Amino acid sequence: MYAQIVKSTGTLKSREDMSPEEAHFQDRIDAGEKIEPKDWMPEGYRKNLIRQIGQHGHSEIVGQLPEGNWITRAPTLERKAILLAKVQDEAGHGLYLYCAAETLGVSRDELTEDLLSGKMKYSSIFNYPTLNWADMGAVGWLVDGAAIMNQVPLQRTSFGPYSRAMIRICKEESFHQRQGYDIMMKMAQGSDAQKRMAQDALNRFWFPSLMMFGPSDKDSVHSAQSMAWKIKINTNDELRQKFVDQTVPQAKYLGLTVPDEGLTWNEEKGGYDFSEPDWTEFFDVLRGNGPCNTDRLDARIKAWEDGAWVRDGLMAHARKKSPKVAAE
Amino acid sequence: MSKEWPLWEVFIRGQHGMSHRHVGSLHAADAEMAIKNARDVYTRRNEGVSIWVVESTNISASAPSDKGPLYEPSNSKVYRHPTFFDIPDDVGAM
């Protein structure tokens, strides 16, 4: 759950074109120093990070919806409690990220309003429906698996608050992927009907999961500057390859078939060759035409509007009494 | 006046006698709610036994540009570290 396409401001500058401040800033990044909120930073760095962290945070928040959908219908009380804990984690992850973005001078309300107006994006994956319980397994296994692939390197990102948020998130995220795989194992080892459901979930989520890494490097116009600034660590294609190499054996273990006839082991590169996802579909979903775009945004808008009187009431109450609790 | 809940900084003390440590921030209408939210956001996995919250606007911070004047003077005072002094082995542990 993270940023997929972040429009960057400005193109990659050569050393000679940098102002002394910009050159000093780049030196700090090259030396592996963390940039903190009060440090000088180029305006493009600030803007790109707000977009990227904001998009990442929005993905966590909107990402609660496809799974929240199944909390009341989990097959056992234990699975229900586990799914609830996972969805609660995602709320937490959204909050860590929003707070990191806020250190760059954007307010929480601005971030929320930009999500609700469609100005800011969230990951395309959450615009696909979760039709049955097997989808909870596929989402945890594949979607969280893809998210982890992207988030682990981001722990080393140059912006201190973002890096710290990523470290916390990564610590918590592997529970998510394991709980998904646990569901898949149960279903893949179950009755024929359950096996068919598991295979069907894999069929539907495989290519949308590959899309989570963003467009192919040759079409990814925003990467160079982000990589120089270390707000992006690996290219989209590198991470996608890594994800496929890691996930195919996991599917084999489950006895499921990855829905890609072009999938073959390439001895020479020590990885799998695989088919590209349908990029036309990807851009179409980003533009708002996926199966669930309208539902997802409607749900967020409803939550925001229905909660307005609570937010206002609590604020008015707090202003009236303003208690001070002494530190322990 | 903004209706946005103010930002609070959250400090958590873990179980093993360490100091409270800054873990992040959150929005809340008042201190009581900030503590409750901090419990939910920052201690879901037994991270702490005590929570401090303080409104972010009440924190003053040193400026990054003061780094030199603030911290450089200590660089020249190497005698503040015990390893500065050579004590003969014969003296024993010290």
Side-chain angles (χ1 to χ4, degrees):
Chain A
M1 335 218 154
Y2 55 89
Q4 241 165 353
I5 297 192
V6 181
K7 289 215 163 65
S8 74
T9 3
T11 44
L12 185 57
K13 274 191 183 174
S14 68
R15 273 271 149 188
E16 299 81 65
D17 295 334
M18 287 183 189
S19 69
E21 273 170 323
E22 286 171 331
H24 176 65
F25 179 81
Q26 191 60 50
D27 287 342
R28 291 188 59 197
I29 288 182
D30 294 344
E33 277 184 44
K34 293 280 182 244
I35 308 300
E36 295 297 337
K38 287 180 125 193
D39 294 349
W40 184 89
M41 60 185 78
E43 217 27 52
Y45 179 83
R46 181 188 302 278
K47 281 193 180 143
N48 274 16
L49 267 177
I50 290 175
R51 287 197 195 111
Q52 180 173 332
I53 302 172
Q55 200 178 113
H56 196 156
H58 293 327
S59 297
E60 298 283 355
I61 297 300
V62 177
Q64 295 180 98
L65 297 170
E67 290 180 295
N69 178 32
W70 279 92
I71 291 173
T72 55
R73 291 174 284 172
T76 66
L77 187 57
E78 189 187 38
R79 296 230 179 250
K80 180 179 183 153
I82 292 170
L83 186 59
L84 196 60
K86 178 179 189 271
V87 173
Q88 192 192 10
D89 271 355
E90 275 149 16
H93 296 176
L95 295 181
Y96 306 157
L97 287 158
Y98 283 154
C99 287
E102 285 174 86
T103 65
L104 291 159
V106 65
S107 78
R108 177 73 63 89
D109 281 0
E110 284 173 89
L111 289 167
T112 306
E113 281 155 15
D114 285 351
L115 168 68
L116 301 185
S117 73
K119 192 176 157 203
M120 286 181 90
K121 302 289 178 206
Y122 55 89
S123 179
S124 60
I125 190 77
F126 303 116
N127 291 315
Y128 291 87
T130 45
L131 303 176
N132 57 52
W133 180 252
D135 288 6
M136 293 302 94
V139 166
W141 171 36
L142 301 172
V143 176
D144 289 271
I148 291 170
M149 209 49 98
N150 184 274
Q151 291 175 152
V152 165
L154 278 177
Q155 293 178 102
R156 292 181 280 117
T157 190
S158 61
F159 187 56
Y162 192 24
S163 156
R164 292 190 282 274
M166 283 293 83
I167 289 168
R168 269 194 89 85
I169 288 175
C170 286
K171 252 192 219 166
E172 298 175 351
E173 195 89 69
S174 65
F175 141 59
H176 296 183
Q177 193 186 12
R178 280 167 170 242
Q179 70 87 34
Y181 198 70
D182 183 63
I183 293 172
M184 289 307 268
M185 280 198 296
K186 196 80 182 174
M187 298 202 81
Q189 292 159 3
S191 66
D192 285 348
Q194 286 175 310
K195 273 181 218 164
R196 278 198 302 275
M197 280 173 74
Q199 182 63 53
D200 166 64
L202 172 58
N203 291 350
R204 282 181 290 110
F205 277 95
W206 176 255
F207 282 112
S209 300
L210 295 191
M211 292 176 195
M212 287 178 67
F213 298 95
S216 169
D217 294 346
K218 58 184 191 301
D219 304 316
S220 186
V221 286
H222 307 298
S223 288
Q225 179 62 78
S226 290
M227 290 184 88
W229 279 336
K230 289 191 193 162
I231 58 183
K232 187 179 173 111
I233 311 287
N234 301 93
T235 72
N236 297 349
D237 286 337
E238 273 168 19
L239 291 172
R240 193 169 8 250
Q241 179 70 50
K242 226 175 140 190
F243 174 75
V244 171
D245 291 344
Q246 182 185 287
T247 310
V248 170
Q250 294 169 352
K252 277 191 186 142
Y253 179 84
L254 293 171
L256 301 179
T257 311
V258 173
D260 176 5
E261 286 178 6
L263 186 79
T264 45
W265 176 255
N266 182 332
E267 190 63 47
E268 206 176 311
K269 77 172 177 189
Y272 288 93
D273 290 331
F274 54 94
S275 309
E276 292 269 312
D278 178 354
W279 293 117
T280 321
E281 174 184 321
F282 170 73
F283 286 110
D284 207 35
V285 173
L286 276 194
R287 267 193 296 270
N289 303 323
C292 298
N293 294 59
T294 313
D295 284 353
R296 300 299 185 231
L297 269 190
D298 283 353
R300 290 315 307 156
I301 291 168
K302 185 175 176 347
W304 181 246
E305 287 176 354
D306 288 355
W309 69 274
V310 180
R311 293 193 302 275
D312 294 351
L314 284 167
M315 202 59 233
H317 178 68
R319 284 203 176 112
K320 224 165 31 179
K321 69 178 179 103
S322 140
K324 293 267 182 278
V325 181
E328 178 191 313
Chain B
M1 201 186 282
S2 164
K3 284 197 292 185
E4 190 173 290
W5 289 348
L7 192 67
W8 299 75
E9 299 301 324
V10 180
F11 300 81
I12 305 264
R13 180 157 60 72
Q15 314 225 358
H16 306 291
M18 306 295 279
S19 312
H20 282 78
R21 195 169 153 228
H22 182 245
V23 292
S25 45
L26 50 78
H27 288 269
D30 57 26
E32 190 190 339
M33 184 200 242
I35 289 176
K36 281 185 182 150
N37 286 357
R39 196 279 309 258
D40 287 345
V41 179
Y42 291 107
T43 66
R44 290 196 303 282
R45 289 175 175 79
N46 301 320
E47 287 92 340
V49 293
S50 167
I51 298 172
W52 285 352
V53 292
V54 57
E55 254 194 87
S56 308
T57 49
N58 290 330
I59 291 184
S60 310
S62 61
S65 53
D66 290 343
K67 217 162 117 188
L70 283 178
Y71 311 114
E72 263 162 29
S74 71
N75 287 346
S76 58
K77 298 174 181 60
V78 283
Y79 43 80
R80 283 173 170 165
H81 297 279
T83 46
F84 175 77
F85 304 94
D86 280 328
I87 304 291
D89 289 346
D90 297 346
V91 179
M94 183 179 285

